Amino acid sequence: GICAYTDPVFDPETNMTRGDRTTCESFMDLPGIFPAQGDVDMSTVKCSGNGEVVLPFGSPEYVGLGFGVFGTLLLIEMFGSPFLRNCEVAVALLVGFLIAGVSSYTPEGASESLRFVTPDRINQAPAITFLWVETFPLSVYAPAIFPLLLSYVITAVETIGDVTASCEASKV
């Protein structure tokens, strides 16, 4: 067709995943761009990188997993202890990962179900990695220095006012 999709492939030598991209001949040929293609599968953006399941963005299966996380957030907010409410986002995401780990998806007409979570990337990763062996190109983006300093000064001035008002209100 007009668009080509490259599946993600893990390279154990570089410890990186390559691929997982859609290339198209023109902007209007991108999946999801209006006017949509005649084929519904070409008109949707595929969500990959989540186990064996590759479904379109916004499919009911993914929305259900998202509601599982959101429902967990609401339950923790309503009934959780103060400590649990402080870390509710992390707990809700872990519960969502647990739900995805025990769930599976069976495509129409298929006899075998696909898993949302697979241990393949973990099994392919090296057992021990030393962080100081890898070098990362760190640099400072010069045009961002002035806006960051300006936002720092604004935040400091706001904080001084807040602390002063809190001290006066509490009579400290």
Side-chain angles (χ1 to χ4, degrees), residues 29-49:
D29 296 328
L30 281 170
I33 299 296
F34 186 82
Q37 309 286 339
D39 184 13
V40 175
D41 289 333
M42 285 297 293
S43 300
T44 55
V45 177
K46 302 287 185 182
C47 295
S48 62

Side-chain angles (χ1 to χ4, degrees), residues 14-74:
T14 60
N15 197 22
M16 294 180 68
T17 302
R18 303 204 185 280
D20 190 23
R21 63 180 59 155
T22 303
T23 54
C24 297
E25 293 177 11
S26 71
F27 177 76
M28 292 303 290
D29 296 328
L30 281 170
I33 299 296
F34 186 82
Q37 309 286 339
D39 184 13
V40 175
D41 289 333
M42 285 297 293
S43 300
T44 55
V45 177
K46 302 287 185 182
C47 295
S48 62
N50 49 356
E52 304 164 336
V53 179
V54 178
L55 294 172
F57 178 79
S59 66
E61 293 81 5
Y62 292 148
V63 172
L65 289 173
F67 274 126
V69 172
F70 188 68
T72 305
L73 273 170
L74 290 177

Side-chain angles (χ1 to χ4, degrees), residues 53-55 61 103-108 112-116:
V53 179
V54 178
L55 294 172
E61 293 81 5
S103 301
S104 63
Y105 170 73
T106 306
E108 291 182 32
E112 194 171 316
S113 62
L114 304 174
R115 297 183 314 188
F116 286 99

